[in-house]
Amino acid sequence: MLLPRLISCLCFLVFCFIGGSQAGYCQAVDVEALTKQMAATPPMGWNSWNHFAEKITDSEVRAAADAMVASGMRDAGYRYVVIDDGWQGQRDAQGIIHPNSRFPDMKRLADYVHSKGLKFGIYSSPGPKTCGNFEGSYGHEGQDARTYAGWGVDYLKYDLCSYESVMKMWDLEHADKASAMMQEAYGTMHRALVKTNRPIVYSLCEYGIGDVWKWGPTVGANLWRTTDDIRDDFRSMSLIGFSQAGLEKYAAPGHWNDPDMLEVGNGGMKPDEYRTQMSLWSMLAAPLLAGNDLSRMDKLTKSILMNREVIAVDQDKLGIQASRLAPLQIWVKPLSGGAKAVAIFNYVVDDQAIPITLHLKDVGFPSPVHARDLWAHKDLGLLHSTYTVIVPQGGVVMLRLWP
Ligand code: GLA
C-alpha cells in the first residue's frame, strides 16, 4: 500500500520540478492521481471521423450531442463528443488558432455540448500539419492548450501525422532518436495541458509506433491507439481487435489501449459482426467511441451500442483487459466481485455457424457456476463443467459467469 503512494507522491514532486513554478500547478495538484481519475474506466463517447471525416460541421456536432441524449446513450454511459480532424482554420498574427468557417464559434459549441450534460473533445497533431493537412500544433503547443481550455475542451486526441517527417522516422540509423523525439513531443503537449489547470483527457494517436503502451503513461496519456486506422469491414475490425492479445498488462484505470473507434451502425458489417466489435472492445476494456451518425440510428444499432450488460463489462472498475485463451475464439476478462466475462467468437470466414465448447476449468471456475448470456439477456442457470453453444459466423456469444 505504501509503495504506490510513495510513487504517486514522487510523480507529484517531479511534475512540480518540471514545470510547476511557471505553471502554478504545483499548488495542490497530484497530476498522476488526476490523470487516473479522468479515465478511471475507459472513456465512452462519439468521434466524428469514421462517419463524417474532414467535412464535419458545427450543426452535425450539435446533432450528435442531441442524439446522444435523446437516444439514451448518455444515460448508458457515453459522455465525450469529440470533433476529429477538419475543424481548424488559420492562425492569426499572434499565432492563435481559429476554427474554419464550418465552426463559427467553438466556445459556444462547447457550451452547447456541456449544456446537455456531455463533455467536449477536439483533435490536433504534434506536427505542423494534421493527417488531413489542417494546421497542427507544432511550435504552438502551449498556446493551443490554452485556447482549448478557454473553449472548454475536456478531451484532446493528438495524432502524430506530419510529426513523422519531423522525426525523420524512416532513417533507421536514427530510430532511437526519432522515438525519443516523439515521446518528447507527446510529453510537451501533456505538460501544456496540465498547465491550463483544466482536466483534459489525453488521447495519443500514433498507431502503436515504438510500443506506445510501454511509455504512454509516462507522457500522461489516458489512452493510446495501438494500431493503424480501422475500416468499416469485418476483416479490418477483426484483425485489429484480435491482434490486441498480449497487450493486457498495459491497460489499467487511468490509461487504456485503444484499438480505434467503433464502426457499429456505419453499414459495412453484418449485425453479428457489429456485435463482435462491441463485445470484443468491451472485453478489451477499450474506449467505446461510437463512430456512426447518431442522428440516424436504427433500432438494431441502438441495441448494440446500448447493451448495458456488455457496457458494464467494458466499464468494470477493476479495469482488467481480457486475455485470449486457447482455443483462439475464447477470451476471458476478470470482473469485480469474483465474476468473469467470457466471449466466445466465431471468426472463421466460411459462412458457417459452428458449435464451440467452453470448459469452465479453462476460465478458472470449478463447476457449477452461474451464467448469464449478455446478448440474449437471459440467465442460463448453473453450468456444469462445459457449455457448448452455436456461434454464428462473424458473431459472438458473451457470458457473465460467477460462482
Ligand atoms: C489519422 C487517424 C484517424 C483520423 C485521421 C484524421 O488517420 O488515425 O483516426 O484521426 O487521421 O485525419
Side-chain angles (χ1 to χ4, degrees):
M1 286 311 285
L2 193 57
L3 190 62
R5 200 56 222 152
L6 277 173
I7 293 171
S8 170
C9 286
L10 195 62
C11 283
F12 168 53
L13 288 174
V14 167
F15 273 104
C16 281
F17 280 119
I18 289 173
S21 46
Q22 316 127 346
Y25 62 70
C26 255
Q27 288 151 4
V29 183
D30 178 338
V31 175
E32 169 74 21
L34 192 65
T35 301
K36 184 168 168 183
Q37 199 185 314
M38 280 191 297
T41 58
M44 292 176 66
W46 170 84
N47 173 299
S48 56
W49 184 254
N50 284 355
H51 187 84
F52 295 95
E54 73 281 356
K55 297 200 166 53
I56 184 69
T57 64
D58 175 290
S59 55
E60 284 157 348
V61 175
R62 285 169 193 256
D66 292 345
M68 201 180 266
V69 177
S71 65
M73 282 179 75
R74 180 190 63 188
D75 295 340
Y78 293 85
R79 279 288 178 283
Y80 292 92
V81 173
V82 182
I83 310 175
D84 205 281
D85 209 356
W87 63 265
Q88 309 88 330
Q90 301 304 318
R91 293 187 184 279
D92 63 21
Q94 281 70 48
I96 294 172
I97 185 81
H98 294 274
N100 59 41
S101 57
R102 292 194 302 277
F103 291 90
D105 188 333
M106 210 50 117
K107 168 116 181 55
R108 283 185 71 169
L109 178 56
D111 289 348
Y112 184 78
V113 170
H114 290 147
S115 76
K116 301 265 157 185
L118 300 169
K119 290 182 177 282
F120 183 63
I122 211 160
Y123 166 100
S124 190
S125 169
K129 293 284 173 193
T130 67
C131 298
N133 211 28
F134 293 85
E135 277 296 301
S137 293
Y138 187 62
H140 294 274
E141 295 82 358
Q143 210 171 24
D144 285 359
R146 288 191 295 278
T147 301
Y148 303 153
W151 287 340
V153 164
D154 308 296
Y155 181 114
L156 174 67
K157 173 175 170 182
Y158 206 45
D159 192 351
L160 192 65
C161 306
S162 69
Y163 195 78
E164 282 192 89
S165 52
V166 177
M167 287 155 62
K168 298 202 179 32
M169 175 86 201
W170 311 118
D171 182 349
L172 287 180
E173 277 180 35
H174 300 113
D176 283 355
K177 182 154 180 274
S179 176
M181 282 174 70
M182 176 172 57
Q183 295 181 37
E184 181 50 30
Y186 278 103
T188 299
M189 183 50 101
H190 171 59
R191 291 191 293 277
L193 294 175
V194 171
K195 278 187 191 175
T196 68
N197 283 321
R198 183 177 175 86
I200 298 179
V201 169
Y202 192 31
S203 159
L204 269 52
C205 177
E206 49 80 274
Y207 339 113
I209 294 171
D211 293 351
V212 59
W213 40 88
K214 293 185 180 155
W215 52 266
T218 68
V219 297
N222 295 112
L223 56 156
W224 48 79
R225 278 272 298 279
T226 53
T227 69
D228 229 324
D229 292 15
I230 198 165
R231 293 188 314 273
D232 184 22
D233 63 63
F234 184 68
R235 189 180 149 74
S236 164
M237 181 277 289
S238 57
L239 276 176
I240 286 178
F242 292 121
S243 74
Q244 302 302 296
L247 295 185
E248 51 270 26
K249 57 178 172 293
Y250 302 104
H255 43 85
W256 309 98
N257 291 306
D258 173 11
D260 209 352
M261 297 163 295
L262 298 173
E263 291 284 8
V264 177
N266 277 333
M269 286 185 249
K270 297 177 192 154
D272 276 322
E273 296 172 343
Y274 281 141
R275 275 182 211 107
T276 285
Q277 189 182 22
M278 187 71 190
S279 305
L280 183 52
W281 265 232
S282 296
M283 292 296 289
L284 294 171
L288 295 178
L289 292 163
N292 56 316
D293 181 353
L294 302 187
S295 65
R296 290 160 199 269
M297 282 192 288
D298 58 16
K299 227 173 131 200
L300 180 86
T301 300
K302 289 183 190 168
S303 75
I304 296 174
L305 288 174
M306 283 185 277
N307 183 330
R308 287 177 182 242
E309 297 193 77
V310 170
I311 291 172
V313 170
D314 181 74
Q315 295 290 303
D316 184 84
K317 66 176 188 292
L318 289 184
I320 300 177
Q321 177 172 327
S323 306
R324 185 177 64 187
L325 292 183
L328 294 182
Q329 294 96 331
I330 301 178
W331 291 62
V332 58
K333 180 183 199 291
L335 303 173
S336 39
K340 288 183 181 174
V342 173
I344 307 169
F345 297 99
N346 171 6
Y347 63 99
V348 292
V349 270
D350 62 359
D351 222 10
Q352 296 265 317
I354 51 170
I356 300 179
T357 298
L358 169 71
H359 295 268
L360 294 181
K361 67 173 173 16
D362 291 346
V363 291
F365 279 119
S367 64
V369 72
H370 297 274
R372 181 168 172 83
D373 185 318
L374 304 186
W375 284 107
H377 302 294
K378 204 172 97 191
D379 283 330
L380 302 177
L382 285 173
L383 303 185
H384 296 268
S385 98
T386 62
Y387 180 61
T388 300
V389 64
I390 308 283
V391 189
Q393 192 271 327
V396 59
V397 170
M398 194 163 160
L399 306 174
R400 177 184 168 88
L401 303 178
W402 68 100

